[in-house]
Amino acid sequence: MTGLVVLAVLLLIAGSLVVSSVKIIGQAEVMVIERLGRFHRLARSGLNILIPFVERPRSIDVRYFEADPLGVKKITAGSTTRIDLREQVLNFPSQPVITKDNVTIDIDAVLYYRVADPQKATYAIQNLPYALETLTRTTLRNIVGDIELDQTLASRDMINKRMREVIEDASIGWGVDVTRVELQSIEPPRDIQQSMELVMRAERERRAAVTGAEASKRAAILESEGQREAQVRKAEGEREAAILRAQGLAEARLAMANAESEAIRQITASLPEGQAAMYLLGLKYLEALPTLAQGKGATIFLPAEASGVMGAIGGIRELLRSAGGATAAPAPVSPRPAYTPPAVRSLHPADSDSGDAGSAASER
């Protein structure tokens, strides 16, 4: 019975030794193997056998950011002997940061890194995740403290780039390759958010007013340009119409002048030499008499140059008779009446009331 117990104990010890000596490492994982407390080698993926009591794997610290079933996020810290060579995400809760203009904001950042040298990640830093988190926090405070709130909200890419450069330079001796640093959220205080909303609303109203003013200005410009073009075209039309009217009047006057010239030429040809001017003068004089009598209250006292007129008329008659032919018998010519001065109407009231018939003037 005692032998069976001893055998069972030996089998248990042998099994535990086999389990602790045989390590199967997965893909993209390594294990740091120490021999007698010193670094010996890296156990790669596959089957690896360790010498019992001489070789043992070295463990490192890890941190996990996870949420419970109620949605509460928490950080879980632990240790493991297997180093994951894949790109890992280091997420930590938001932290308060003071900007250059003394505004406290909460910034939630996330860090992407990859273990490039497992030996350095194990021996160069005591707690790699905590060191990266602390470095990220301090770097974020330094960068945001040099810029104002508005620039912080509008310069996420610049902040991400500067943080990555600073963290990568500091962690290069830890065997870590920092791939990306991102700001997940930036939350200003509630009163600052309300002020920003008011500013944003005022800015949008200003843009709307400016857009409306520009539209009105553009409409007014287009309307004035349309009116100007209409006036220009109207002026051009009136100018062309005036030119056409002037050309028509010029052509009409030219035609009338040609006709009158032809009439004068025929009259001159039909009358004796030197009599055409007298004929035309008398004709114009007779044509002007009705025009002179058309005015309201116009009074013409005859004879008005009667001797000259009668002489011109007599001359015209003689010319017509002489032009009528030599065979026609001459008509008797009444003797030209002697020129009698026109009677003058007295303007004195007594003379008007006396009714003297000798002072009355003939009116036509």
Side-chain angles (χ1 to χ4, degrees):
M1 186 65 182
T2 304
L4 293 176
V5 173
V6 172
L7 182 60
V9 172
L10 292 177
L11 292 175
L12 182 61
I13 294 174
S16 61
L17 291 177
V18 171
V19 171
S20 61
S21 299
V22 178
K23 300 292 183 182
I24 299 176
I25 303 174
Q27 184 67 31
E29 290 182 349
V30 295
M31 183 178 293
V32 177
I33 304 301
E34 293 180 344
R35 175 176 291 182
L36 300 178
R38 295 174 60 88
F39 173 78
H40 177 61
R41 60 188 173 91
L42 292 177
R44 305 287 179 176
S45 59
L47 179 62
N48 293 269
I49 299 176
L50 306 182
I51 300 175
F53 305 107
V54 177
E55 297 178 345
R56 67 180 183 87
R58 176 65 181 266
S59 62
I60 61 174
D61 297 325
V62 293
R63 295 165 66 90
Y64 301 98
F65 189 77
E66 57 185 6
D68 57 9
L70 297 178
V72 179
K73 296 181 180 181
K74 60 180 181 179
I75 298 177
T76 302
S79 61
T80 181
T81 57
R82 300 174 184 267
I83 300 176
D84 197 341
L85 299 180
R86 297 174 297 177
E87 187 173 357
Q88 303 180 46
V89 180
L90 181 60
N91 195 348
F92 44 89
S94 60
Q95 57 177 339
V97 180
I98 301 176
T99 61
K100 186 177 181 180
D101 49 352
N102 296 325
V103 178
T104 303
I105 57 178
D106 293 332
I107 299 180
D108 187 6
V110 61
L111 177 68
Y112 295 84
Y113 70 97
R114 182 178 61 85
V115 177
D117 190 344
Q119 181 180 358
K120 290 183 178 181
T122 303
Y123 296 102
I125 189 71
Q126 190 270 332
N127 192 331
L128 179 62
Y130 181 73
L132 290 175
E133 177 182 347
T134 304
L135 180 61
T136 304
R137 290 175 182 271
T138 55
T139 304
L140 182 60
R141 288 193 181 98
N142 294 333
I143 295 175
V144 175
D146 293 336
I147 57 179
E148 297 181 353
L149 177 62
D150 295 338
Q151 188 177 0
T152 303
L153 297 175
S155 305
R156 292 197 177 196
D157 293 338
M158 182 271 294
I159 297 175
N160 295 336
K161 183 178 179 181
R162 290 182 58 184
M163 287 181 60
R164 180 179 177 275
E165 293 174 354
V166 174
I167 296 174
E168 188 174 13
D169 292 339
S171 62
I172 192 171
W174 300 342
V176 176
D177 185 12
V178 178
T179 57
R180 298 186 65 181
V181 179
E182 296 290 340
L183 299 182
Q184 296 189 72
S185 63
I186 301 177
E187 297 182 0
R190 184 57 186 173
D191 55 344
I192 300 297
Q193 293 182 7
Q194 293 177 354
S195 301
M196 293 171 61
E197 291 176 358
L198 293 176
V199 171
M200 180 184 65
R201 185 178 295 109
E203 179 65 19
R204 292 185 180 275
E205 291 177 355
R206 185 189 66 83
R207 291 181 181 178
V210 170
T211 304
E214 290 180 351
S216 301
K217 174 183 175 183
R218 185 60 180 170
I221 292 174
L222 293 177
E223 184 178 359
S224 62
E225 290 179 353
Q227 293 178 356
R228 181 185 64 181
E229 185 175 357
Q231 292 177 359
V232 169
R233 293 192 176 184
K234 182 179 178 181
E236 291 178 353
E238 293 177 352
R239 183 190 65 180
E240 294 178 358
I243 292 174
L244 293 177
R245 285 194 298 267
Q247 291 178 354
L249 292 175
E251 293 177 357
R253 293 185 64 182
L254 182 60
M256 292 177 63
N258 292 333
E260 188 173 358
S261 175
E262 181 65 20
I264 293 174
R265 187 183 63 79
Q266 293 181 4
I267 291 173
T268 304
S270 62
L271 295 176
E273 185 178 359
Q275 299 298 324
M278 295 299 297
Y279 170 77
L280 294 175
L281 181 60
L283 185 60
K284 293 295 183 180
Y285 188 85
L286 292 176
E287 291 177 355
L289 285 178
T291 305
L292 296 175
Q294 287 180 358
K296 183 178 180 181
T299 303
I300 300 176
F301 297 92
L302 292 177
E305 294 292 337
S307 61
V309 174
M310 296 307 294
I313 294 175
I316 292 172
R317 183 178 65 181
E318 291 296 332
L319 291 174
L320 293 177
R321 288 183 59 188
S322 63
T327 58
V333 180
S334 60
R336 179 181 299 176
Y339 174 74
T340 303
V344 180
R345 179 180 297 176
S346 177
L347 300 178
H348 196 275
D351 296 338
S352 299
D353 295 338
S354 62
D356 187 1
S359 63
S362 299
E363 295 181 10
R364 283 190 183 177

